[in-house]
Amino acid sequence: MTVTLLMLFALGLLIGAPVAVSLGLSAGLVILIHDLPVTVLAQRAVNTLDSSPLLAVPLFILAASLLGATGVTTHLFDLMRMLVGRVRGGMAHVNVLVSLIFSGMSGAALADIGALGGIQIRQMVHQGYSQRFASGVTIAAATIGPIFPPSIPLIIFATAAEVSTIRALLAGVVPALVVALALMIQIAVMARRHDLPRDDIRPTLPAIRRKAWISLPALLAPVLLVGGMISGFFGPTEAAGVTVAYAVLIGLLVYRSLTLEGFVGCTRDTVLATANVLFVVAAAALFAWVLTMDRVPARAGAWLLEVSENPLVLLLILNLLLLVVGMFLEAIVAILIIAPIVTPALLQAGVPPEQLGVVFVLNLMLGLLTPPVGMSLYMVSIITKMPLLSVIRGVAPFYLSLFAALALVTLVPGLSTWLPNLVMK
């Protein structure tokens, strides 16, 4: 049954069918071929989507869209330029810091690139950086978005692996900071070696204070989100709702830039993005159910534990698997298919679920930087009109810092577990 399922899925991809269609159609055909109950098609899809944690996905997408519509990204960019732009390679550091802050609003790498990429790359090129280097920094920095809460991939992982959503989200805070620090260290080394330019901005202290005051509402959005979850005032779904309300309030009352037309546009974009994500979730649920009926998770878990019961060895095997899978499958699809299969064995071996979630997401975000299905590469290629090969060459040096961060997250469980354990005692 599993062989038939995988062959049909591969055939769907080869003929150019969307991934969600390939998942759902292959699962549906196997159910018919093997005379399984057809009612499962509707039951599994609906039951999977009937989930409170998944409600956070459209709300976080809407919150990020609303915050982007208010123009906060421009204020954040200007503030970071004033603070660190004058150091050598300063605009590259600004790129990473703005991505880190905006990740506390968006939860998705492609959203970061869409909202910030054009601005960041143009400003860096204007300051004397090569377009290839500017594109590489932008793509690498966007990997922070899906790790720092609100992380849509971590919400999907928690749902697929049946672990605590709030612990999974909190687990991403420290690793996201590690990724940002690794990138900034590499940028500092490259700045000295290649004599990267300094920003030409010369801010005064009053100008910094004024821009900081203007940017304060945007800076408070991640604080509100993470602080609310840490304090226990609300869970991930409630946090998403509060963030939407906060985005509307600052758009109407503080920046006064959110119009009715803009709000309608944000909701339209949210509906389209949510439909894409949840269609994949529903189709992957059917696919995973067929695998479960054929006892694939149980057999895969037994095989993994036969190979080794050492959690580090199993994590290394998982890293290799996910790095390869991430080159060909979109992150959410990979999580929904692989997480239910391998999670029980790794948890049994003693891998903390929080660390497992971060390892999953960070590996698959690296897939966005690698051909042939590296969506971040294609998106920046479209924005800059650069050949894809030039974009790949631009991001290639930053594999070093990203893989170093992945190694740290894999080898040091405390990076992922410290904050959830501190908060959720």
Side-chain angles (χ1 to χ4, degrees):
M1 189 157 62
T2 299
V3 174
T4 306
L5 179 70
L6 295 177
M7 288 177 63
L8 289 170
F9 176 58
L11 179 62
L13 295 179
L14 286 173
I15 64 175
V19 174
V21 173
S22 299
L23 286 168
L25 190 58
S26 60
L29 289 173
V30 168
I31 287 171
L32 291 173
I33 291 169
H34 291 272
D35 201 27
L36 296 170
V38 180
T39 53
V40 168
L41 290 171
Q43 183 186 36
R44 293 299 303 176
V46 172
N47 286 349
T48 301
L49 299 181
D50 186 16
S51 165
S52 177
L54 280 181
L55 182 59
V57 172
L59 290 173
F60 278 133
I61 293 172
L62 178 58
S65 184
L66 289 170
L67 286 165
T70 62
V72 298
T73 53
T74 303
H75 297 304
L76 290 174
F77 192 82
D78 291 343
L79 177 62
M80 291 300 110
R81 280 187 67 191
M82 290 179 177
L83 293 176
V84 300
R86 291 299 299 164
V87 304
R88 188 162 299 283
M91 285 296 291
H93 291 297
V94 168
N95 196 322
V96 175
L97 290 172
V98 173
S99 292
L100 176 62
I101 296 170
F102 191 73
S103 69
M105 309 174 198
S106 70
L110 297 182
D112 285 3
I113 292 174
L116 302 169
I119 299 171
Q120 292 170 325
I121 293 170
R122 281 195 301 272
Q123 287 286 350
M124 289 183 70
V125 171
H126 177 72
Q127 294 290 333
Y129 296 83
S130 70
Q131 192 176 45
R132 192 164 74 182
F133 178 83
S135 299
V137 173
T138 301
I139 295 170
T143 58
I144 302 170
I147 305 169
F148 195 90
S151 164
I152 291 171
L154 279 175
I155 294 172
I156 300 295
F157 170 82
T159 302
E162 298 181 350
V163 299
S164 168
T165 304
I166 190 167
R167 289 184 68 92
L169 287 173
L170 292 175
V173 174
V174 176
L177 297 175
V178 169
V179 173
L181 180 61
L183 287 171
M184 293 181 74
I185 290 172
Q186 182 173 357
I187 289 168
V189 172
M190 294 174 75
R192 286 183 173 275
R193 183 174 298 173
H194 301 293
D195 195 28
L196 295 179
R198 304 174 189 269
D199 196 342
D200 57 8
I201 192 170
R202 296 186 179 277
T204 61
L205 189 57
I208 294 174
R209 286 176 179 167
R210 184 166 58 255
K211 184 57 70 173
W213 178 251
I214 294 171
S215 304
L216 184 61
L219 293 169
L220 287 177
V223 176
L224 173 69
L225 171 66
V226 178
M229 289 193 293
I230 287 177
S231 64
F233 281 126
F234 38 70
T237 306
E238 293 85 357
V242 169
T243 308
V244 168
Y246 181 76
V248 171
L249 286 175
I250 65 171
L252 292 176
L253 303 180
V254 179
Y255 295 116
R256 299 181 181 179
S257 54
L258 182 62
T259 63
L260 179 59
E261 183 181 357
F263 182 81
V264 171
C266 289
T267 55
R268 186 190 304 115
D269 293 343
T270 300
V271 169
L272 292 173
T274 302
N276 287 330
V277 172
L278 295 188
F279 183 25
V280 172
V281 171
L286 291 172
F287 194 91
W289 182 83
V290 174
L291 292 176
T292 304
M293 289 297 293
D294 206 22
R295 301 189 67 253
V296 171
R299 285 183 286 177
W303 177 81
L304 283 171
L305 293 174
E306 282 179 10
V307 172
S308 176
E309 292 188 4
N310 185 314
L312 180 57
V313 172
L314 294 178
L315 279 174
L316 292 175
I317 294 172
L318 180 65
N319 276 325
L320 292 173
L321 172 65
L322 292 174
L323 285 171
V324 173
V325 168
M327 294 180 183
F328 301 96
L329 280 184
E330 196 270 338
I332 291 176
V333 175
I335 290 170
L336 290 167
I337 294 174
I338 299 173
I341 294 175
V342 303
T343 297
L346 271 78
L347 295 184
Q348 186 178 337
V351 178
E354 300 85 4
Q355 182 190 20
L356 183 57
V358 175
V359 167
F360 250 93
V361 173
L362 184 49
N363 269 290
L364 294 172
M365 289 310 105
L366 291 174
L368 293 174
L369 282 64
T370 52
V373 192
M375 290 306 299
S376 292
L377 301 175
Y378 292 108
M379 193 165 185
V380 169
S381 178
I382 292 168
I383 290 172
T384 61
K385 297 181 173 58
M386 288 173 62
L388 183 63
L389 186 58
S390 295
V391 177
I392 295 171
R393 287 176 177 170
V395 76
F398 297 100
Y399 291 152
L400 176 64
S401 51
L402 293 173
F403 277 107
L406 175 61
L408 279 173
V409 170
T410 302
L411 296 172
V412 186
L415 293 175
S416 306
T417 60
W418 172 74
L419 185 58
N421 289 340
L422 179 68
V423 173
M424 309 289 288
K425 287 183 179 178

